[in-house]
Amino acid sequence: MTNNINSPQGAGIASHLAPQVIQTKFGDINGDGFFETIFLMGTQKPGSPLWENITLTIFYGQTGRIEQIPLKENVGYHPTIFLGDFTGNHIEDIMVISDTGGSGGIINGEIFSSTNNQVHSIFDTESFNTKLQYTVNYANNYKAVVQSKAPAKKYILDLQYKGPEYLAEIYHPDGTLKQPIEGWVDPISGLYPVDYDRDGTYEILAYQEIAGRYHADGLGYVENILKWNGHEFVVDRQTVSIFGEDLS
C-alpha cells in the first residue's frame, strides 16, 4: 500500500505525480543505537505499475535530520527495501531491488552502507554485471559448455533432457552439431540476502539465467554467492543449476 507524502492539496493529475511512500522500514543504519526510518519513495503515473524517480529518504530519529539518496537506476517495478548487515560491522545496510520489466526478468539492485554518518552505495547490479563474463557454446554429443571468466570455471551441461525433437533440430543423428551455436548468460535476475554462516552477516545469492538459441530456451542458472571482503563484494562460490526432465 502506498501513501501520499507532502502531496499538494486537491485532486488531479498533480497529486498522482507527487512523491509517494512505496515502503517503510525501521533500523539502526549508522550504529548510534537509535532507529532510523527509511522510506522508499517514488512517483507513479495514474494506472501505471511503473515507479519513477525512486529515492531513499532517511529520517534520523536522534537528530531529526532528513537525507535523500537517489538510486543509480531509479525506474522500476515493485521496488522493495531490505535491511541487514552485509559488511560484518553489526550495523544494518540497505538493499533496494526493483524489476526492470524486461523479458529476462532482469532486476536493478543496489546496497547502501553508512560510514561516519555518510550513506554511500557499496554495490549495484549494473556495475557488477560487467564483472561477470561468460561464454556459452553448444558442443558435440548433446552438450553445452558454460565458461566463467572470473572465477575461471567451466561447466558442461547435458542437454539430453531437452528431448528428441529439440536435439534433432541441432544435432546430426551421430550427435555432432549441424552448425556452431552460441548462447549467453543474462544479467542478474535474482538477488537474495542469505546468512549462510549464521553469524548475523548476510551474503548475497545472485541468479543469472543461461540462455541457449533464444531467450526462452533456458538451459539453467549460474548461481554466484557474493561476499564482502572489506572493500567490495566478490564471488565467494559459484555453481550452475540445470532444469530437470519432466517425467509426467
Side-chain angles (χ1 to χ4, degrees):
M1 181 176 180
T2 60
N3 301 294
N4 287 332
I5 184 169
N6 297 328
S7 58
Q9 296 295 321
I13 298 298
S15 64
H16 290 285
L17 299 181
Q20 295 177 282
V21 176
I22 305 169
Q23 192 175 28
T24 305
K25 295 284 186 178
F26 303 93
D28 182 9
I29 66 164
N30 60 0
D32 64 357
F34 294 87
F35 270 18
E36 283 72 53
T37 306
I38 298 93
F39 300 99
L40 189 62
M41 303 185 66
T43 58
Q44 194 175 41
K45 294 178 181 177
S48 172
L50 179 67
W51 288 96
E52 300 177 282
N53 306 308
I54 303 172
T55 305
L56 274 178
T57 299
I58 303 172
F59 173 72
Y60 294 88
Q62 185 183 22
T63 64
R65 181 168 67 96
I66 295 177
E67 182 177 14
Q68 289 190 318
I69 305 165
L71 306 185
K72 186 170 184 178
E73 298 294 332
N74 66 351
V75 176
Y77 298 87
H78 187 52
T80 59
I81 49 180
F82 172 86
L83 302 185
D85 178 15
F86 291 93
T87 62
N89 63 356
H90 308 294
I91 299 173
E92 291 184 304
D93 305 304
I94 307 168
M95 172 187 275
V96 183
I97 295 177
S98 65
D99 301 320
T100 65
S103 60
I106 311 305
I107 63 166
N108 294 321
E110 194 165 1
I111 297 176
F112 297 87
S113 185
S114 178
T115 304
N116 298 322
N117 277 324
Q118 295 294 319
V119 176
H120 58 282
S121 176
I122 59 173
F123 174 89
D124 69 86
T125 50
E126 181 183 15
S127 299
F128 208 83
N129 280 327
T130 63
K131 300 179 181 180
L132 301 172
Q133 299 182 24
Y134 309 92
T135 60
V136 179
N137 291 282
Y138 282 64
N140 293 332
N141 300 315
Y142 315 112
K143 301 291 194 296
V145 180
V146 180
Q147 287 190 261
S148 165
K149 185 174 182 180
K153 289 184 178 291
K154 179 172 75 172
Y155 306 91
I156 300 176
L157 312 184
D158 190 332
L159 301 177
Q160 293 184 78
Y161 75 93
K162 287 282 195 176
E165 291 185 10
Y166 178 92
L167 298 175
E169 295 176 0
I170 300 171
Y171 292 95
H172 295 293
D174 63 355
T176 58
L177 279 169
K178 293 181 178 179
Q179 61 183 13
I181 299 176
E182 291 187 16
W184 69 90
V185 176
D186 274 341
I188 293 173
S189 58
L191 209 61
Y192 305 97
V194 183
D195 182 4
Y196 286 98
D197 300 325
R198 304 188 307 279
D199 59 359
T201 301
Y202 287 94
E203 289 78 37
I204 306 171
L205 174 58
Y207 278 85
Q208 295 176 269
E209 187 169 4
I210 306 167
R213 295 174 297 167
Y214 44 86
H215 203 275
D217 183 18
L219 304 182
Y221 287 92
V222 179
E223 301 177 11
N224 286 301
I225 297 173
L226 313 181
K227 194 168 187 175
W228 183 255
N229 69 358
H231 305 283
E232 61 181 349
F233 284 95
V234 296
V235 177
D236 185 59
R237 300 190 298 279
Q238 184 186 82
T239 57
V240 163
S241 61
I242 64 171
F243 302 109
E245 181 180 359
D246 188 0
L247 300 178
S248 59

